[in-house]
Amino acid sequence: MIRLGVLLSGRGSNMLALAEACRSGALPAEIACVASNLASAPGLGRARDLGLEAVAIDHREHPDRESFERALAARLQAAGVEWVCLAGFMRLLSAVFLAEFPERVVNIHPSLLPAFPGLEAQAQALAHGVRISGCTVHLVDSGLDSGPIVVQRSVPVLEGDTAASLAARILLEEHLAYPEAMRLLLTRSWRVEGRRLRISG
Ligand code: GRF
């Protein structure tokens, strides 16, 4: 069974969707460790409720980003983690962390990238007046919400939408997109060619 690590800073609904996909057999993997930079992240408690190992590594207790990232990577590796899924993890990860899991760090973002990277993507989409938005699962590189796209799912933007109502509609698709993307990455043959993820088998 492939061992996943999930990094989160918030409520952890995408972590739950991944855990359910592992439990049901839809995803041939198990979650070996859930980690957060915030001990107060509700997602850590939800992971413990499922019986998962859940740890907090506080970035404020480290002198610099590199030291925090080395500690985080070491903790995940000690749990046997092979793939890292970012699920609402609010720290940018540098090449120091990414080098520990080459082409094995994945993120989910609540917009159709490359549109609206960064914070408050749903509000950005609404302010721009787009008619369609959605979510993107992508491999992580050292840029902000850049990296080869694995799966995207779209939703309509409706006339009366607020950032919250759009976010809720997108979140339902996120819970389908993340397990789908991980299944693809773990079970198909692929390679990265320039910006593109090429699926070859
Ligand atoms: C999601 O909208 C995800 O796309 C973004 O952060 C949010 C995390 O939500 N990166 P949750 O903690 O998984 O519920």
Side-chain angles (χ1 to χ4, degrees), residues 10-15 87-89 107-110 122 171 174-175:
R11 72 196 150 182
S13 72
N14 279 290
M15 178 276 297
F89 185 64
N107 183 42
I108 187 159
H109 183 75
Q122 304 94 335
L171 192 64
E174 293 186 38
H175 297 161

Side-chain angles (χ1 to χ4, degrees), residues 60-135:
R60 293 164 302 194
E61 287 171 7
H62 288 268
D64 52 36
R65 181 191 296 269
E66 186 170 329
S67 152
F68 166 67
E69 291 187 3
R70 287 199 193 289
L72 188 58
R75 191 68 196 76
L76 295 170
Q77 283 161 347
V81 165
E82 302 162 86
W83 281 81
V84 179
C85 299
L86 309 184
F89 185 64
M90 300 305 283
R91 309 286 303 167
L92 277 179
L93 292 169
S94 77
V96 168
F97 183 89
L98 298 177
E100 298 294 328
F101 301 94
E103 290 190 335
R104 298 287 184 277
V105 183
V106 188
N107 183 42
I108 187 159
H109 183 75
S111 75
L112 294 176
L113 292 169
F116 315 127
L119 293 175
E120 297 184 3
Q122 304 94 335
Q124 290 186 56
L126 210 54
H128 199 92
V130 296
R131 300 295 187 188
I132 296 172
S133 191
C135 62

Side-chain angles (χ1 to χ4, degrees), residues 24-42:
S24 72
L27 189 57
E30 60 189 321
I31 297 182
C33 185
V34 177
S36 180
N37 58 314
L38 298 174
S40 59

